[in-house]
Amino acid sequence: MSNPIPTEPPADTPVTDRAGILLVDDMEENLLALEAVLASLNVPLVRARSGEEAIRALRRERFALVLLDVRMPGMDGFDTAAGIKRLDQAKDVPIIFLTGSDPDSGFTFRGYATGAADFIPKPFDPWVLRAKVNVFLELHSKNRQLEALLARDHVQLAEMAHRLSAIGSMLGDAGPGDIGTDDGDSDATTLCGPGELAALRGHVAGLDNILRELRRGRSSQP
């Protein structure tokens, strides 16, 4: 390759928060070139020397991106991509096809039909490859953040539903004779006993805390 290998500093996102990249190629020199170009991204780089090996790797762990050589003996890139898209845990992983030359329209159509997100011709420009890969890594990171927010919201909403149910049960247990006095006054202590009143206040305070956390989460989203 005539272009120099990029040497910018790693991205700010910690490596522990970023899934790896699966490199699929049957040629050792191609894998070495990919590793040299992508090393500065500071994410795990996992090799696969065949389509079958790639699918086994995707069954074992989660990846942010697959770089897939099209021309491989046996199971080629198109067959491998189709197999990846049949895996529940990997069907949404983006695939960039690495091609030996600029693909014609039929080649491109087949690639997109089998799940390609993009094509990069070989010999590839290291800067172009790294820039495209980084875009997909950032997209994966944003998706992980969104998943975490949704999971947190799910837990908080479940807690809210539990507290509302408890409040409803406490209020429902108070009989008509327990609500207020004969002169129409509504003393809170006649609605429940002192212990039940404290529990009721605790549930209301808990609801208020959950609502504050939900609002804080919404305001901190990009």
Side-chain angles (χ1 to χ4, degrees):
M1 291 179 291
S2 59
N3 293 341
I5 294 173
T7 56
E8 301 100 307
D12 292 335
T13 306
V15 64
T16 53
D17 293 339
R18 309 185 80 180
I21 304 170
L22 181 61
L23 312 176
V24 189
D25 200 304
D26 62 302
M27 303 293 292
E28 177 70 14
E29 57 268 30
N30 292 338
L31 291 171
L32 288 172
L34 289 170
E35 289 171 341
V37 171
L38 301 175
S40 60
L41 291 176
N42 198 28
V43 298
L45 302 175
V46 178
R47 289 182 170 202
R49 297 291 296 267
S50 67
E52 293 86 355
E53 189 176 340
I55 290 175
R56 287 196 296 270
L58 285 158
R59 286 195 177 111
R60 289 194 306 267
E61 57 187 294
R62 185 172 184 173
F63 291 94
L65 178 66
V66 177
L67 296 180
L68 177 58
D69 183 38
V70 172
R71 301 188 185 280
M72 296 187 295
M75 192 175 185
D76 66 14
F78 297 122
D79 294 333
T80 302
I84 291 172
K85 294 305 175 181
R86 287 194 291 268
L87 297 175
D88 288 340
Q89 66 269 43
K91 61 185 179 182
D92 296 323
V93 177
I95 298 172
I96 295 180
F97 274 131
L98 303 175
T99 66
S101 59
D102 290 331
D104 58 32
S105 59
F107 190 95
T108 303
F109 175 80
R110 187 181 177 193
Y112 285 126
T114 53
D118 203 351
F119 287 86
I120 295 181
K122 293 191 282 187
F124 50 79
D125 183 322
W127 292 95
V128 171
L129 174 65
R130 188 178 185 280
K132 288 191 175 186
V133 166
N134 204 41
V135 169
F136 285 102
L137 291 177
E138 290 176 0
L139 178 62
H140 178 79
S141 177
K142 294 298 183 184
N143 286 336
R144 290 288 298 272
Q145 292 174 29
L146 179 59
E147 288 173 5
L149 285 172
L150 292 174
R152 190 196 64 179
D153 286 357
H154 177 77
V155 171
Q156 290 175 327
L157 290 172
E159 174 66 13
M160 182 180 290
H162 169 74
R163 290 186 179 277
L164 286 171
S165 177
I167 290 171
S169 297
M170 294 174 70
L171 295 176
D173 288 342
D178 297 325
I179 303 176
T181 60
D182 292 340
D183 59 3
D185 293 335
S186 181
D187 184 357
T189 59
T190 63
L191 177 64
C192 310
E196 292 174 326
L197 180 61
L200 181 61
R201 287 173 173 165
H203 284 304
V204 172
L207 287 173
D208 187 52
N209 289 335
I210 293 171
L211 288 171
R212 275 201 301 270
E213 287 297 320
L214 287 170
R215 293 192 193 100
R216 185 178 299 119
R218 294 292 188 272
S219 64
S220 63
Q221 292 183 33

